[in-house]
Amino acid sequence: MARRSKIEAEKTRERLLKVARELFEAQGFSDTKVSQIVERAGITKGGLFHYFPTKEALFREIWTQLQGEMDAEARQNATASRSRSDPYAAFLAGCQTYLSWAARPDYQQIVLIDGPSVLGLAGWYEADNDLGRRNVNAGIEYLARKGIVARKRVQPLAVLVHNALNGAGFAMARNEPGVTVESVLDAFEAVLKSLR
Amino acid sequence: MARRSKIEAEKTRERLLKVARELFEAQGFSDTKVSQIVERAGITKGGLFHYFPTKEALFREIWTQLQGEMDAEARQNATASRSRSDPYAAFLAGCQTYLSWAARPDYQQIVLIDGPSVLGLAGWYEADNDLGRRNVNAGIEYLARKGIVARKRVQPLAVLVHNALNGAGFAMARNEPGVTVESVLDAFEAVLKSLR
DNA sequence: TGTTATACATACCCCGGGTATGTGGGAGCT
DNA sequence: AGCTCCCACATACCCGGGGTATGTATAACA
């Protein structure tokens, strides 16, 4: 076999991303072998390494892709309809979106579990700061402007809230009794309300 | 070389644990090679695999060891002096201990970063439930008995609080402006106080 | 003191990520 | 149309690293 058209090539690349994402989700990064990926994609190792320099680079692109999807949805929900005029509602909407993503198995395995170990603490944090936490920061900032929380507590509170949501996803994945998207969001709102 | 005395053997095993722990902390699990460990420990691969069936088993023991140390300190601080008569103070003391551990580089790399990816979500959660979260659960339970929080919110709140503390350690490691053990604990207490 | 069990050492296997190189056909130019 | 170049893969190979099979000398116990 030899060279394909540019359209075919783009399809191959997308097929690699799709197949790898499925495998990474199901088996984790280290248990997913390059041979498995290329087999399912219908090509050979040479093809994969033509598009991605390393297996880690492939993972990184999938990681970014997932985060991007989540961010897009969070932005959309946060600025939707009635939330537009109510910053607090926008904040809650963003949190809810984030929470529902943190409950997804693919998001957990790829972003939350393998992400830190594959990308390293620095790399993971760098990208995560730009996405998940921006919404949280905006929400806390709003509470500070309203005088509900002290300004000096904005940063630590944002950290606490962001990670509280992150970890809640794991608990939901385990089907812990009494821990669902609804109950967590309910408890979360109760805490925020008590702040007001 | 051949068989050593039991005392020597125990020292060898402890040396392996000590050296591996240092390497796991500095380089992470996957970047730490068995050859590195045995070289620093002054033996060969045969020796290591005599004590530990796999590299992962070695990691698991170190993971458990670290969690045990943290748990011991948390228990001690939670039941110390004046905290003994005040369950709320005991709860806070336990949280503070946990927070200070979550800020430690070794705890972060081994328990928080590599733990989930090496041990898997199930294994990590299983052990973590028995340790870090027991204290948090006890604290929230106490607040529920006092009627401060609704009983149905005990589980989700415990999840939120536990993970909020977990993630705060990462933020501190990054030297984020305004995020220290003191400021986080201050913000954390503010939230709890508003609940009362 | 003889026997056994044990604490390692030595040599090896094999899987998996990555590389070096080949090749055949599509795209552009004339 | 035909020639050339380049590119999308295929093939073959390397090598590092986890794990194993086996050997061996000595401590421990009878």
Side-chain angles (χ1 to χ4, degrees), chain B residues 142-176:
Chain B
Y142 167 74
L143 294 180
R145 276 197 302 277
K146 280 254 183 168
I148 294 169
V149 307
R151 181 143 291 279
K152 64 162 183 169
R153 293 195 181 119
V154 168
Q155 291 298 330
L157 262 181
V159 169
L160 288 171
V161 168
H162 177 228
N163 287 286
L165 295 177
N166 250 354
F170 288 96
M172 289 185 279
R174 274 199 85 222
N175 292 323
E176 287 193 26

PDB file of all heavy atoms in Angstrom, chain B residues 142-176:
ATOM      1  N   TYR B 142     -20.785  14.445  62.863  1.00  0.00           N
ATOM      2  CA  TYR B 142     -20.956  15.229  64.087  1.00  0.00           C
ATOM      3  C   TYR B 142     -21.830  16.460  63.838  1.00  0.00           C
ATOM      4  O   TYR B 142     -22.728  16.774  64.607  1.00  0.00           O
ATOM      5  CB  TYR B 142     -19.582  15.658  64.624  1.00  0.00           C
ATOM      6  CG  TYR B 142     -19.646  16.714  65.678  1.00  0.00           C
ATOM      7  CD1 TYR B 142     -20.060  16.415  66.976  1.00  0.00           C
ATOM      8  CD2 TYR B 142     -19.299  18.036  65.386  1.00  0.00           C
ATOM      9  CE1 TYR B 142     -20.125  17.398  67.945  1.00  0.00           C
ATOM     10  CE2 TYR B 142     -19.357  19.025  66.346  1.00  0.00           C
ATOM     11  CZ  TYR B 142     -19.775  18.700  67.625  1.00  0.00           C
ATOM     12  OH  TYR B 142     -19.834  19.676  68.577  1.00  0.00           O
ATOM     13  N   LEU B 143     -21.560  17.141  62.715  1.00  0.00           N
ATOM     14  CA  LEU B 143     -22.353  18.320  62.369  1.00  0.00           C
ATOM     15  C   LEU B 143     -23.821  17.945  62.144  1.00  0.00           C
ATOM     16  O   LEU B 143     -24.723  18.716  62.458  1.00  0.00           O
ATOM     17  CB  LEU B 143     -21.782  18.986  61.106  1.00  0.00           C
ATOM     18  CG  LEU B 143     -20.382  19.591  61.247  1.00  0.00           C
ATOM     19  CD1 LEU B 143     -19.920  20.212  59.937  1.00  0.00           C
ATOM     20  CD2 LEU B 143     -20.352  20.637  62.353  1.00  0.00           C
ATOM     21  N   ALA B 144     -24.024  16.736  61.615  1.00  0.00           N
ATOM     22  CA  ALA B 144     -25.398  16.283  61.368  1.00  0.00           C
ATOM     23  C   ALA B 144     -26.116  16.016  62.691  1.00  0.00           C
ATOM     24  O   ALA B 144     -27.279  16.370  62.862  1.00  0.00           O
ATOM     25  CB  ALA B 144     -25.380  15.026  60.504  1.00  0.00           C
ATOM     26  N   ARG B 145     -25.406  15.396  63.621  1.00  0.00           N
ATOM     27  CA  ARG B 145     -26.011  15.120  64.926  1.00  0.00           C
ATOM     28  C   ARG B 145     -26.390  16.413  65.640  1.00  0.00           C
ATOM     29  O   ARG B 145     -27.372  16.474  66.363  1.00  0.00           O
ATOM     30  CB  ARG B 145     -25.041  14.313  65.796  1.00  0.00           C
ATOM     31  CG  ARG B 145     -25.084  12.802  65.556  1.00  0.00           C
ATOM     32  CD  ARG B 145     -24.438  12.045  66.695  1.00  0.00           C
ATOM     33  NE  ARG B 145     -23.054  12.441  66.907  1.00  0.00           N
ATOM     34  CZ  ARG B 145     -22.027  11.951  66.213  1.00  0.00           C
ATOM     35  NH1 ARG B 145     -22.248  11.058  65.281  1.00  0.00           N
ATOM     36  NH2 ARG B 145     -20.814  12.363  66.461  1.00  0.00           N
ATOM     37  N   LYS B 146     -25.593  17.425  65.412  1.00  0.00           N
ATOM     38  CA  LYS B 146     -25.878  18.720  66.028  1.00  0.00           C
ATOM     39  C   LYS B 146     -26.991  19.448  65.295  1.00  0.00           C
ATOM     40  O   LYS B 146     -27.391  20.544  65.682  1.00  0.00           O
ATOM     41  CB  LYS B 146     -24.603  19.574  66.003  1.00  0.00           C
ATOM     42  CG  LYS B 146     -23.623  19.214  67.102  1.00  0.00           C
ATOM     43  CD  LYS B 146     -23.645  20.286  68.171  1.00  0.00           C
ATOM     44  CE  LYS B 146     -22.630  19.996  69.260  1.00  0.00           C
ATOM     45  NZ  LYS B 146     -22.457  21.180  70.141  1.00  0.00           N
ATOM     46  N   GLY B 147     -27.440  18.862  64.202  1.00  0.00           N
ATOM     47  CA  GLY B 147     -28.512  19.484  63.433  1.00  0.00           C
ATOM     48  C   GLY B 147     -28.056  20.616  62.536  1.00  0.00           C
ATOM     49  O   GLY B 147     -28.841  21.385  62.005  1.00  0.00           O
ATOM     50  N   ILE B 148     -26.752  20.721  62.358  1.00  0.00           N
ATOM     51  CA  ILE B 148     -26.213  21.824  61.557  1.00  0.00           C
ATOM     52  C   ILE B 148     -26.363  21.559  60.058  1.00  0.00           C
ATOM     53  O   ILE B 148     -26.609  22.463  59.276  1.00  0.00           O
ATOM     54  CB  ILE B 148     -24.734  22.068  61.933  1.00  0.00           C
ATOM     55  CG1 ILE B 148     -24.653  22.578  63.365  1.00  0.00           C
ATOM     56  CG2 ILE B 148     -24.083  23.047  60.977  1.00  0.00           C
ATOM     57  CD1 ILE B 148     -23.272  22.597  63.940  1.00  0.00           C
ATOM     58  N   VAL B 149     -26.201  20.318  59.688  1.00  0.00           N
ATOM     59  CA  VAL B 149     -26.423  19.965  58.280  1.00  0.00           C
ATOM     60  C   VAL B 149     -27.494  18.875  58.216  1.00  0.00           C
ATOM     61  O   VAL B 149     -27.637  18.082  59.156  1.00  0.00           O
ATOM     62  CB  VAL B 149     -25.136  19.471  57.588  1.00  0.00           C
ATOM     63  CG1 VAL B 149     -24.014  20.462  57.752  1.00  0.00           C
ATOM     64  CG2 VAL B 149     -24.726  18.115  58.116  1.00  0.00           C
ATOM     65  N   ALA B 150     -28.226  18.866  57.113  1.00  0.00           N
ATOM     66  CA  ALA B 150     -29.266  17.854  56.936  1.00  0.00           C
ATOM     67  C   ALA B 150     -28.623  16.484  56.783  1.00  0.00           C
ATOM     68  O   ALA B 150     -27.555  16.343  56.180  1.00  0.00           O
ATOM     69  CB  ALA B 150     -30.116  18.182  55.717  1.00  0.00           C
ATOM     70  N   ARG B 151     -29.292  15.501  57.327  1.00  0.00           N
ATOM     71  CA  ARG B 151     -28.727  14.151  57.311  1.00  0.00           C
ATOM     72  C   ARG B 151     -28.500  13.627  55.893  1.00  0.00           C
ATOM     73  O   ARG B 151     -27.533  12.934  55.614  1.00  0.00           O
ATOM     74  CB  ARG B 151     -29.656  13.203  58.076  1.00  0.00           C
ATOM     75  CG  ARG B 151     -29.173  11.776  58.168  1.00  0.00           C
ATOM     76  CD  ARG B 151     -29.503  11.166  59.498  1.00  0.00           C
ATOM     77  NE  ARG B 151     -28.749  11.746  60.591  1.00  0.00           N
ATOM     78  CZ  ARG B 151     -27.497  11.383  60.876  1.00  0.00           C
ATOM     79  NH1 ARG B 151     -26.870  10.485  60.146  1.00  0.00           N
ATOM     80  NH2 ARG B 151     -26.862  11.929  61.891  1.00  0.00           N
ATOM     81  N   LYS B 152     -29.398  13.975  54.994  1.00  0.00           N
ATOM     82  CA  LYS B 152     -29.279  13.467  53.626  1.00  0.00           C
ATOM     83  C   LYS B 152     -28.077  14.073  52.897  1.00  0.00           C
ATOM     84  O   LYS B 152     -27.662  13.591  51.854  1.00  0.00           O
ATOM     85  CB  LYS B 152     -30.552  13.775  52.838  1.00  0.00           C
ATOM     86  CG  LYS B 152     -30.812  15.262  52.650  1.00  0.00           C
ATOM     87  CD  LYS B 152     -31.794  15.547  51.523  1.00  0.00           C
ATOM     88  CE  LYS B 152     -31.961  17.050  51.326  1.00  0.00           C
ATOM     89  NZ  LYS B 152     -32.683  17.402  50.103  1.00  0.00           N
ATOM     90  N   ARG B 153     -27.520  15.118  53.479  1.00  0.00           N
ATOM     91  CA  ARG B 153     -26.377  15.757  52.818  1.00  0.00           C
ATOM     92  C   ARG B 153     -25.043  15.300  53.387  1.00  0.00           C
ATOM     93  O   ARG B 153     -23.996  15.789  52.976  1.00  0.00           O
ATOM     94  CB  ARG B 153     -26.486  17.277  52.944  1.00  0.00           C
ATOM     95  CG  ARG B 153     -27.653  17.856  52.162  1.00  0.00           C
ATOM     96  CD  ARG B 153     -27.525  19.370  52.000  1.00  0.00           C
ATOM     97  NE  ARG B 153     -28.659  19.913  51.270  1.00  0.00           N
ATOM     98  CZ  ARG B 153     -29.504  20.816  51.755  1.00  0.00           C
ATOM     99  NH1 ARG B 153     -29.342  21.268  52.985  1.00  0.00           N
ATOM    100  NH2 ARG B 153     -30.496  21.266  51.013  1.00  0.00           N
ATOM    101  N   VAL B 154     -25.083  14.387  54.327  1.00  0.00           N
ATOM    102  CA  VAL B 154     -23.843  13.950  54.969  1.00  0.00           C
ATOM    103  C   VAL B 154     -22.889  13.335  53.950  1.00  0.00           C
ATOM    104  O   VAL B 154     -21.719  13.728  53.857  1.00  0.00           O
ATOM    105  CB  VAL B 154     -24.126  12.931  56.098  1.00  0.00           C
ATOM    106  CG1 VAL B 154     -22.829  12.267  56.553  1.00  0.00           C
ATOM    107  CG2 VAL B 154     -24.790  13.623  57.276  1.00  0.00           C
ATOM    108  N   GLN B 155     -23.370  12.387  53.198  1.00  0.00           N
ATOM    109  CA  GLN B 155     -22.498  11.704  52.229  1.00  0.00           C
ATOM    110  C   GLN B 155     -21.937  12.656  51.169  1.00  0.00           C
ATOM    111  O   GLN B 155     -20.730  12.747  51.005  1.00  0.00           O
ATOM    112  CB  GLN B 155     -23.246  10.542  51.578  1.00  0.00           C
ATOM    113  CG  GLN B 155     -23.525   9.380  52.518  1.00  0.00           C
ATOM    114  CD  GLN B 155     -22.256   8.741  53.050  1.00  0.00           C
ATOM    115  OE1 GLN B 155     -21.233   8.751  52.382  1.00  0.00           O
ATOM    116  NE2 GLN B 155     -22.303   8.222  54.254  1.00  0.00           N
ATOM    117  N   PRO B 156     -22.792  13.368  50.447  1.00  0.00           N
ATOM    118  CA  PRO B 156     -22.234  14.262  49.424  1.00  0.00           C
ATOM    119  C   PRO B 156     -21.321  15.323  50.005  1.00  0.00           C
ATOM    120  O   PRO B 156     -20.301  15.668  49.398  1.00  0.00           O
ATOM    121  CB  PRO B 156     -23.475  14.887  48.775  1.00  0.00           C
ATOM    122  CG  PRO B 156     -24.618  14.546  49.649  1.00  0.00           C
ATOM    123  CD  PRO B 156     -24.263  13.307  50.378  1.00  0.00           C
ATOM    124  N   LEU B 157     -21.647  15.823  51.199  1.00  0.00           N
ATOM    125  CA  LEU B 157     -20.787  16.838  51.808  1.00  0.00           C
ATOM    126  C   LEU B 157     -19.417  16.260  52.145  1.00  0.00           C
ATOM    127  O   LEU B 157     -18.390  16.906  51.940  1.00  0.00           O
ATOM    128  CB  LEU B 157     -21.441  17.388  53.074  1.00  0.00           C
ATOM    129  CG  LEU B 157     -22.201  18.709  52.912  1.00  0.00           C
ATOM    130  CD1 LEU B 157     -22.771  19.163  54.243  1.00  0.00           C
ATOM    131  CD2 LEU B 157     -21.281  19.771  52.343  1.00  0.00           C
ATOM    132  N   ALA B 158     -19.425  15.045  52.663  1.00  0.00           N
ATOM    133  CA  ALA B 158     -18.148  14.419  53.003  1.00  0.00           C
ATOM    134  C   ALA B 158     -17.287  14.267  51.758  1.00  0.00           C
ATOM    135  O   ALA B 158     -16.082  14.508  51.782  1.00  0.00           O
ATOM    136  CB  ALA B 158     -18.390  13.058  53.644  1.00  0.00           C
ATOM    137  N   VAL B 159     -17.927  13.881  50.675  1.00  0.00           N
ATOM    138  CA  VAL B 159     -17.192  13.748  49.413  1.00  0.00           C
ATOM    139  C   VAL B 159     -16.614  15.083  48.983  1.00  0.00           C
ATOM    140  O   VAL B 159     -15.427  15.194  48.629  1.00  0.00           O
ATOM    141  CB  VAL B 159     -18.127  13.197  48.313  1.00  0.00           C
ATOM    142  CG1 VAL B 159     -17.465  13.310  46.954  1.00  0.00           C
ATOM    143  CG2 VAL B 159     -18.500  11.754  48.606  1.00  0.00           C
ATOM    144  N   LEU B 160     -17.416  16.113  49.034  1.00  0.00           N
ATOM    145  CA  LEU B 160     -16.965  17.439  48.610  1.00  0.00           C
ATOM    146  C   LEU B 160     -15.806  17.917  49.474  1.00  0.00           C
ATOM    147  O   LEU B 160     -14.783  18.382  48.971  1.00  0.00           O
ATOM    148  CB  LEU B 160     -18.124  18.435  48.678  1.00  0.00           C
ATOM    149  CG  LEU B 160     -19.219  18.275  47.608  1.00  0.00           C
ATOM    150  CD1 LEU B 160     -20.399  19.174  47.913  1.00  0.00           C
ATOM    151  CD2 LEU B 160     -18.658  18.582  46.232  1.00  0.00           C
ATOM    152  N   VAL B 161     -15.970  17.788  50.781  1.00  0.00           N
ATOM    153  CA  VAL B 161     -14.956  18.286  51.708  1.00  0.00           C
ATOM    154  C   VAL B 161     -13.639  17.523  51.544  1.00  0.00           C
ATOM    155  O   VAL B 161     -12.564  18.109  51.455  1.00  0.00           O
ATOM    156  CB  VAL B 161     -15.451  18.176  53.167  1.00  0.00           C
ATOM    157  CG1 VAL B 161     -14.301  18.399  54.139  1.00  0.00           C
ATOM    158  CG2 VAL B 161     -16.570  19.177  53.411  1.00  0.00           C
ATOM    159  N   HIS B 162     -13.763  16.217  51.490  1.00  0.00           N
ATOM    160  CA  HIS B 162     -12.562  15.397  51.372  1.00  0.00           C
ATOM    161  C   HIS B 162     -11.743  15.770  50.147  1.00  0.00           C
ATOM    162  O   HIS B 162     -10.529  15.943  50.194  1.00  0.00           O
ATOM    163  CB  HIS B 162     -12.952  13.921  51.326  1.00  0.00           C
ATOM    164  CG  HIS B 162     -11.797  12.993  51.138  1.00  0.00           C
ATOM    165  ND1 HIS B 162     -11.795  11.980  50.227  1.00  0.00           N
ATOM    166  CD2 HIS B 162     -10.594  12.942  51.747  1.00  0.00           C
ATOM    167  CE1 HIS B 162     -10.652  11.351  50.278  1.00  0.00           C
ATOM    168  NE2 HIS B 162      -9.899  11.901  51.198  1.00  0.00           N
ATOM    169  N   ASN B 163     -12.421  15.901  49.034  1.00  0.00           N
ATOM    170  CA  ASN B 163     -11.708  16.189  47.793  1.00  0.00           C
ATOM    171  C   ASN B 163     -11.242  17.628  47.700  1.00  0.00           C
ATOM    172  O   ASN B 163     -10.249  17.921  47.041  1.00  0.00           O
ATOM    173  CB  ASN B 163     -12.586  15.832  46.596  1.00  0.00           C
ATOM    174  CG  ASN B 163     -12.689  14.331  46.415  1.00  0.00           C
ATOM    175  OD1 ASN B 163     -11.768  13.690  45.974  1.00  0.00           O
ATOM    176  ND2 ASN B 163     -13.829  13.775  46.812  1.00  0.00           N
ATOM    177  N   ALA B 164     -11.959  18.511  48.376  1.00  0.00           N
ATOM    178  CA  ALA B 164     -11.513  19.897  48.433  1.00  0.00           C
ATOM    179  C   ALA B 164     -10.152  19.961  49.107  1.00  0.00           C
ATOM    180  O   ALA B 164      -9.228  20.622  48.628  1.00  0.00           O
ATOM    181  CB  ALA B 164     -12.524  20.747  49.183  1.00  0.00           C
ATOM    182  N   LEU B 165     -10.001  19.227  50.183  1.00  0.00           N
ATOM    183  CA  LEU B 165      -8.731  19.206  50.909  1.00  0.00           C
ATOM    184  C   LEU B 165      -7.639  18.545  50.071  1.00  0.00           C
ATOM    185  O   LEU B 165      -6.507  19.020  49.996  1.00  0.00           O
ATOM    186  CB  LEU B 165      -8.898  18.465  52.241  1.00  0.00           C
ATOM    187  CG  LEU B 165      -9.849  19.141  53.232  1.00  0.00           C
ATOM    188  CD1 LEU B 165     -10.001  18.284  54.476  1.00  0.00           C
ATOM    189  CD2 LEU B 165      -9.331  20.518  53.604  1.00  0.00           C
ATOM    190  N   ASN B 166      -8.019  17.430  49.454  1.00  0.00           N
ATOM    191  CA  ASN B 166      -7.066  16.734  48.589  1.00  0.00           C
ATOM    192  C   ASN B 166      -6.445  17.681  47.572  1.00  0.00           C
ATOM    193  O   ASN B 166      -5.238  17.805  47.469  1.00  0.00           O
ATOM    194  CB  ASN B 166      -7.800  15.621  47.826  1.00  0.00           C
ATOM    195  CG  ASN B 166      -7.404  14.248  48.299  1.00  0.00           C
ATOM    196  OD1 ASN B 166      -6.502  14.119  49.128  1.00  0.00           O
ATOM    197  ND2 ASN B 166      -8.058  13.228  47.797  1.00  0.00           N
ATOM    198  N   GLY B 167      -7.300  18.337  46.807  1.00  0.00           N
ATOM    199  CA  GLY B 167      -6.823  19.172  45.713  1.00  0.00           C
ATOM    200  C   GLY B 167      -6.087  20.403  46.177  1.00  0.00           C
ATOM    201  O   GLY B 167      -5.231  20.928  45.466  1.00  0.00           O
ATOM    202  N   ALA B 168      -6.405  20.859  47.373  1.00  0.00           N
ATOM    203  CA  ALA B 168      -5.722  22.045  47.872  1.00  0.00           C
ATOM    204  C   ALA B 168      -4.220  21.816  47.962  1.00  0.00           C
ATOM    205  O   ALA B 168      -3.427  22.733  47.762  1.00  0.00           O
ATOM    206  CB  ALA B 168      -6.279  22.432  49.232  1.00  0.00           C
ATOM    207  N   GLY B 169      -3.846  20.575  48.248  1.00  0.00           N
ATOM    208  CA  GLY B 169      -2.421  20.253  48.319  1.00  0.00           C
ATOM    209  C   GLY B 169      -1.706  20.535  47.007  1.00  0.00           C
ATOM    210  O   GLY B 169      -0.609  21.084  46.991  1.00  0.00           O
ATOM    211  N   PHE B 170      -2.345  20.192  45.908  1.00  0.00           N
ATOM    212  CA  PHE B 170      -1.747  20.447  44.602  1.00  0.00           C
ATOM    213  C   PHE B 170      -1.524  21.928  44.370  1.00  0.00           C
ATOM    214  O   PHE B 170      -0.468  22.342  43.881  1.00  0.00           O
ATOM    215  CB  PHE B 170      -2.654  19.903  43.502  1.00  0.00           C
ATOM    216  CG  PHE B 170      -2.686  18.423  43.418  1.00  0.00           C
ATOM    217  CD1 PHE B 170      -3.673  17.700  44.039  1.00  0.00           C
ATOM    218  CD2 PHE B 170      -1.705  17.746  42.706  1.00  0.00           C
ATOM    219  CE1 PHE B 170      -3.698  16.325  43.967  1.00  0.00           C
ATOM    220  CE2 PHE B 170      -1.727  16.378  42.628  1.00  0.00           C
ATOM    221  CZ  PHE B 170      -2.724  15.664  43.260  1.00  0.00           C
ATOM    222  N   ALA B 171      -2.524  22.701  44.726  1.00  0.00           N
ATOM    223  CA  ALA B 171      -2.423  24.143  44.521  1.00  0.00           C
ATOM    224  C   ALA B 171      -1.265  24.717  45.335  1.00  0.00           C
ATOM    225  O   ALA B 171      -0.507  25.557  44.854  1.00  0.00           O
ATOM    226  CB  ALA B 171      -3.726  24.820  44.899  1.00  0.00           C
ATOM    227  N   MET B 172      -1.110  24.231  46.545  1.00  0.00           N
ATOM    228  CA  MET B 172      -0.028  24.726  47.389  1.00  0.00           C
ATOM    229  C   MET B 172       1.324  24.365  46.784  1.00  0.00           C
ATOM    230  O   MET B 172       2.275  25.127  46.830  1.00  0.00           O
ATOM    231  CB  MET B 172      -0.156  24.144  48.789  1.00  0.00           C
ATOM    232  CG  MET B 172      -1.333  24.713  49.552  1.00  0.00           C
ATOM    233  SD  MET B 172      -1.392  24.136  51.245  1.00  0.00           S
ATOM    234  CE  MET B 172      -2.141  22.545  51.034  1.00  0.00           C
ATOM    235  N   ALA B 173       1.391  23.180  46.203  1.00  0.00           N
ATOM    236  CA  ALA B 173       2.643  22.742  45.606  1.00  0.00           C
ATOM    237  C   ALA B 173       3.053  23.662  44.468  1.00  0.00           C
ATOM    238  O   ALA B 173       4.231  23.816  44.170  1.00  0.00           O
ATOM    239  CB  ALA B 173       2.517  21.316  45.100  1.00  0.00           C
ATOM    240  N   ARG B 174       2.092  24.255  43.814  1.00  0.00           N
ATOM    241  CA  ARG B 174       2.389  25.134  42.691  1.00  0.00           C
ATOM    242  C   ARG B 174       2.750  26.534  43.150  1.00  0.00           C
ATOM    243  O   ARG B 174       3.017  27.416  42.325  1.00  0.00           O
ATOM    244  CB  ARG B 174       1.180  25.216  41.770  1.00  0.00           C
ATOM    245  CG  ARG B 174       1.113  24.128  40.761  1.00  0.00           C
ATOM    246  CD  ARG B 174       0.182  24.532  39.646  1.00  0.00           C
ATOM    247  NE  ARG B 174       0.843  25.325  38.623  1.00  0.00           N
ATOM    248  CZ  ARG B 174       0.313  26.392  38.044  1.00  0.00           C
ATOM    249  NH1 ARG B 174      -0.861  26.820  38.408  1.00  0.00           N
ATOM    250  NH2 ARG B 174       0.976  27.037  37.114  1.00  0.00           N
ATOM    251  N   ASN B 175       2.729  26.757  44.468  1.00  0.00           N
ATOM    252  CA  ASN B 175       3.008  28.079  45.004  1.00  0.00           C
ATOM    253  C   ASN B 175       2.084  29.129  44.406  1.00  0.00           C
ATOM    254  O   ASN B 175       2.506  30.222  44.040  1.00  0.00           O
ATOM    255  CB  ASN B 175       4.472  28.469  44.734  1.00  0.00           C
ATOM    256  CG  ASN B 175       5.416  27.606  45.528  1.00  0.00           C
ATOM    257  OD1 ASN B 175       5.126  27.250  46.666  1.00  0.00           O
ATOM    258  ND2 ASN B 175       6.534  27.260  44.930  1.00  0.00           N
ATOM    259  N   GLU B 176       0.844  28.763  44.298  1.00  0.00           N
ATOM    260  CA  GLU B 176      -0.120  29.728  43.778  1.00  0.00           C
ATOM    261  C   GLU B 176      -0.225  30.893  44.740  1.00  0.00           C
ATOM    262  O   GLU B 176      -0.210  30.707  45.959  1.00  0.00           O
ATOM    263  CB  GLU B 176      -1.491  29.070  43.609  1.00  0.00           C
ATOM    264  CG  GLU B 176      -1.542  28.123  42.441  1.00  0.00           C
ATOM    265  CD  GLU B 176      -2.983  27.741  42.112  1.00  0.00           C
ATOM    266  OE1 GLU B 176      -3.876  28.528  42.421  1.00  0.00           O
ATOM    267  OE2 GLU B 176      -3.179  26.665  41.549  1.00  0.00           O
TER     268      GLU B 176
END
